[in-house]
């Protein structure tokens, strides 16, 4: 939520009380330098003890509610027929209106099941944008991902409210070119993660559905960030300001044939599921659930998490929860823009993003601007962010490097975890870094894994720039900061 102050300023306001806390420490710059070197300039390899604000991801890192924790205490650990599962299935019926629920241990496990059941070699899967694990699963099974976003999606300095929309002309074209038999489904990702947490509009989704259905093609929604997408529709799309988040979520779910999600994001738990009201689709996926995930009533999740997702699903449609991250992200982005920093606009869900190509214009894609900036941000602030650029792209089948469309550094804002003063600190250190940005050079792989290399790759800073940046920081702030 946001609130208007008497001086006219609007600030994010927390609609919760903090009752359990986790201590965090700010390691001094000298320690940050050795931690970054030990981590191979890969923020995934840092340890929590070396991180001040963990803005790597909002996945599984949200604050849970008292009701979620309470539900975990009464979970039913039965292997088969767990009552916890039936609470989840009821929540899915009440919130999504979907009759069938297939639990999976997390979002990528749901993607694996969908790929296994629906994708055959030579298929193409049109979507508004890929997510890293989606691309890996769909392509491992022989499919090809086709991103058919609108031109505005790649403009990081935009005012377009719905950069997550699918380009409908391109969809017609793809269907004409490949034919419906090679298109198992169209995938629409809510609050499109890799382009900066940008939503699709309901008008666009309705059209996507109409076109897909005209050709007998299924519509699959990745609902990992569904409540934020609904929150933006309510704020930004004409005709929705008096609709509830629940009504908007229901309308999205009525349009799709299948939904899958990571329960680690909007639902503020850990786990995932696939849901549908189409019995035939449900029965095609169901046999594979115990093969890859676990029995039908836990799907690889702890039953404690099943309980937590069931409660999280009901809570995420409350406006205070749906907007918990989005409103702090908006404040963060507005402050960055005021300071003249190249933040992605409009503000999205899940995270504030910096455009690393604009921040570090001297670096080419294969010097990894977003990876370099993520490392520099850590050195200058102790804030752990995530590279979402060329390092996050794997090489193609011939081993060639692929330049990412965008080079973003993601400052995830997990729901109900950080405060306005944390954001003020981040903005201050980023201003400093922007003034010293000419000290930052590129990175080079020392160890490069063959798939999802961003997780486990190790890199070196070209020309030892890390040391020079830390020396400049210490000269300005002293040795203890
Ligand atoms: N789809 C979307 C849109 C996601 O953001 C994620 C995960 C997944 C699928 C995979 O789900 O992690 O539960 O297996 N996003 C996390 C992130 C990892 O940091 O943005 P998962």
């Amino acid at each position: 939520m946001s609130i208007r102050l008497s001086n006219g300023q609007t600030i994010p306001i927390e609609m919760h009380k903090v009752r359990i806390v986790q201590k965090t420490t700010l390691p001094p710059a000298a320690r940050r330098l050795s931690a970054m070197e030990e981590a191979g300039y890969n923020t995934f390899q840092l340890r929590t003890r070396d991180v001040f604000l963990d803005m790597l991801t909002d996945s599984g890192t949200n604050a849970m509610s008292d009701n979620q924790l309470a539900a975990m205490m009464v979970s039913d650990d039965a292997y088969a027929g767990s009552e916890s599962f039936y609470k989840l299935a009821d929540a899915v019926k009440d919130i999504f209106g979907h009759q069938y629920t297939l639990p999976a241990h997390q979002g990528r496990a749901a993607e694996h099941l969908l790929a296994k059941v629906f994708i055959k070699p030579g298929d193409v899967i049109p979507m508004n944008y890929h997510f890293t694990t989606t691309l890996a699963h769909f392509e491992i099974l022989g499919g090809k991902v086709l991103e058919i976003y609108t031109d505005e999606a790649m403009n990081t300095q935009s005012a377009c409210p719905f950069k997550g929309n699918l380009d409908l002309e391109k969809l017609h074209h793809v269907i004409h070119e490949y034919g419906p038999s090679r298109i198992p489904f169209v995938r629409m990702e809510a609050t499109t993660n890799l382009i900066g947490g940008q939503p699709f509009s309901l008008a666009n989704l309705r059209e996507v559905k109409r076109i897909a259905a005209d050709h007998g093609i299924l519509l699959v929604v990745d609902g990992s960030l569904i409540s934020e997408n609904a929150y933006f529709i309510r704020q930004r799309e004409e005709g929705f300001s008096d609709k509830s988040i629940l009504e908007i979520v229901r309308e999205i779910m009525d349009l799709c044939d299948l939904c899958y999600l990571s329960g680690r994001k909007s639902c503020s738990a850990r786990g995932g599921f696939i849901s549908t009201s189409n019995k035939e689709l449900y029965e095609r996926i169901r046999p594979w659930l115990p093969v890859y995930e676990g029995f039908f009533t836990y799907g690889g999740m702890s039953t404690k998490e099943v309980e937590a997702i069931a409660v999280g699903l009901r809570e995420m449609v409350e406006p205070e929860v749906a907007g918990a991250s989005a409103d702090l992200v908006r404040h963060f982005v507005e402050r960055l823009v005021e300071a003249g920093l190249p933040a992605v606009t409009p503000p999205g869900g899940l995270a504030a993003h910096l455009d690393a190509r604009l921040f570090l214009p001297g670096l080419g894609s294969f010097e990894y601007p977003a990876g370099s900036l993520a490392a520099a941000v850590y050195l200058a602030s102790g804030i752990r962010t995530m590279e979402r650029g060329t390092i996050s792209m794997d090489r193609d089948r011939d081993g060639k490097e692929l330049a990412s469309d965008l080079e973003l550094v993601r400052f995830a804002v997990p729901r109900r975890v950080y405060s306005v003063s944390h954001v003020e600190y981040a903005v201050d250190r980023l201003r400093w870094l922007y003034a010293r940005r000419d000290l930052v050079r590129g990175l080079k792989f020392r160890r490069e894994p063959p798939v999802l290399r961003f997780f486990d790759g190790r890199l070196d800073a070209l020309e030892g720039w890390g040391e020079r940046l830390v020396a400049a920081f210490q000269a300005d702030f002293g040795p203890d900061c």
Side-chain angles (χ1 to χ4, degrees):
M1 295 277 284
S2 288
I3 202 153
R4 223 173 114 83
L5 301 180
S6 43
N7 67 4
Q9 197 195 351
T10 300
I11 54 159
I13 191 98
E14 291 83 359
M15 298 305 287
H16 54 262
K17 296 185 277 189
V18 178
R19 296 183 59 214
I20 295 182
V21 296
Q22 181 180 2
K23 190 178 155 188
T24 184
T25 49
L26 171 55
R31 172 63 204 148
R32 299 200 293 269
L33 179 61
S34 28
M36 192 80 278
E37 280 175 353
E38 286 158 25
Y41 280 77
N42 179 349
T43 54
F44 276 97
Q45 296 299 323
L46 290 166
R47 288 178 58 163
T48 294
R49 66 172 188 199
D50 293 319
V51 172
F52 174 42
L53 304 181
D54 196 356
M55 296 186 155
L56 182 79
T57 178
D58 64 330
S59 172
T61 57
N62 300 304
M64 296 180 82
S65 72
D66 45 2
N67 286 322
Q68 283 183 295
L69 285 173
M72 290 173 93
M73 289 296 126
V74 295
S75 68
D76 172 15
D77 271 333
Y79 185 96
S82 166
E83 290 302 330
S84 302
F85 170 73
Y86 293 101
K87 289 188 209 164
L88 174 62
D90 284 347
V92 171
K93 281 184 196 144
D94 291 346
I95 306 300
F96 286 1
H98 285 172
Q99 298 309 304
Y100 306 105
T101 302
L102 296 149
H105 80 270
Q106 56 184 85
R108 70 199 71 185
E111 288 169 338
H112 172 231
L113 285 170
L114 292 181
K116 174 93 198 146
V117 172
F118 294 102
I119 297 176
K120 52 182 192 325
D123 281 352
V124 295
I125 308 98
M127 57 184 68
N128 51 352
Y129 207 68
H130 77 277
F131 184 69
T132 51
T133 55
T134 322
L135 183 78
H137 278 297
F138 291 5
E139 298 209 334
I140 285 167
L141 268 288
K144 186 171 163 43
V145 162
L146 295 178
E147 287 158 328
I148 48 175
Y149 45 80
T150 59
D151 295 343
E152 200 57 20
M154 292 302 130
N155 177 4
T156 60
Q157 315 292 291
S158 164
C160 170
F162 293 110
K163 293 202 290 187
N165 280 354
L166 198 81
D167 187 317
L168 303 171
E169 275 304 304
K170 290 183 195 154
L171 180 59
H172 279 298
H173 185 76
V174 164
I175 295 173
H176 181 73
E177 189 179 341
Y178 293 92
S181 64
R182 287 180 63 192
I183 306 177
F185 54 82
V186 177
R187 171 180 173 277
M188 287 293 278
E189 183 179 307
T191 317
T192 323
N193 190 333
L194 295 192
I195 62 170
Q198 302 292 325
F200 53 68
S201 69
L202 249 169
N204 185 256
L205 191 71
R206 284 189 196 124
E207 280 305 290
V208 172
K209 169 67 178 181
R210 191 183 58 73
I211 297 166
D214 280 353
H215 295 89
I217 298 169
L218 300 174
L219 173 61
V220 173
V221 166
D222 178 332
S224 308
L225 292 156
I226 188 75
S227 62
E228 282 77 16
N229 202 119
Y231 189 73
F232 287 130
I233 288 173
R234 193 162 82 146
Q235 281 186 336
R236 299 180 184 176
E237 190 163 357
E238 219 182 298
F240 288 92
S241 58
D242 56 351
K243 291 257 193 318
S244 67
I245 306 288
L246 176 61
E247 284 170 318
I248 299 169
V249 166
R250 272 302 267 275
E251 192 164 342
I252 295 171
M253 290 301 149
D254 286 349
L255 286 169
C256 70
D257 298 286
L258 277 165
C259 169
Y260 77 88
L261 56 77
S262 168
R264 303 169 63 87
K265 293 180 159 279
S266 290
C267 292
S268 294
R270 286 144 291 257
F273 62 81
I274 301 171
S275 69
T276 179
S277 283
N278 183 321
K279 191 156 191 269
E280 193 214 315
L281 297 178
Y282 166 70
E283 283 178 350
R284 280 178 69 188
I285 304 166
R286 188 175 155 90
W288 297 102
L289 188 60
V291 177
Y292 291 110
E293 291 300 299
F295 193 71
F296 308 106
T297 52
Y298 74 91
M301 274 185 276
S302 147
T303 55
K304 289 190 167 39
E305 296 295 346
V306 176
E307 292 272 354
I309 295 189
V311 175
L313 201 61
R314 293 183 189 280
E315 289 181 344
M316 75 179 188
V317 294
E318 295 165 12
E320 299 81 8
V321 181
S325 166
D327 286 324
L328 195 50
V329 169
R330 187 174 51 73
H331 179 72
F332 198 162
V333 170
E334 283 171 1
R335 299 282 289 114
L336 291 170
V337 170
E338 267 166 43
L341 271 64
V344 173
T345 57
L350 98 134
H353 296 78
L354 283 175
D355 183 331
R357 283 201 178 107
L358 297 178
F359 203 109
L360 300 173
L363 300 191
S365 297
F366 303 130
E367 291 169 305
Y368 311 130
S372 303
L373 183 53
V377 167
Y378 172 74
L379 292 175
S381 67
I383 299 175
R384 169 155 76 163
T385 59
M386 191 188 288
E387 186 268 2
R388 296 278 71 159
T390 296
I391 298 178
S392 294
M393 301 286 295
D394 286 330
R395 288 173 186 263
D396 71 8
R397 286 189 183 122
D398 304 324
K400 209 169 105 251
E401 280 249 57
L402 300 172
S404 177
D405 294 326
L406 294 175
E407 288 286 339
L408 304 183
V409 172
R410 185 178 81 171
F411 293 72
V413 177
R415 292 154 194 82
R416 298 181 287 192
V417 173
Y418 293 123
S419 64
V420 173
S421 50
H422 289 132
V423 167
E424 296 300 320
Y425 168 79
V427 172
D428 179 77
R429 292 304 191 255
L430 290 171
R431 289 172 87 123
W432 177 86
L433 183 60
Y434 196 58
R436 298 286 185 287
R437 64 191 185 280
D438 54 340
L439 292 176
V440 182
R441 299 274 185 276
L443 298 173
K444 189 175 179 325
F445 267 104
R446 183 190 333 142
R447 201 182 90 193
E448 185 182 341
V451 67
L452 298 179
R453 64 182 182 171
F454 61 92
F455 282 134
D456 206 24
R458 305 302 151 90
L459 301 101
D460 289 316
L462 295 173
E463 303 161 34
W465 62 259
E467 279 163 40
R468 283 202 308 282
L469 186 70
V470 165
F473 183 87
Q474 287 170 326
D476 287 348
F477 291 91
D480 300 328
C481 278

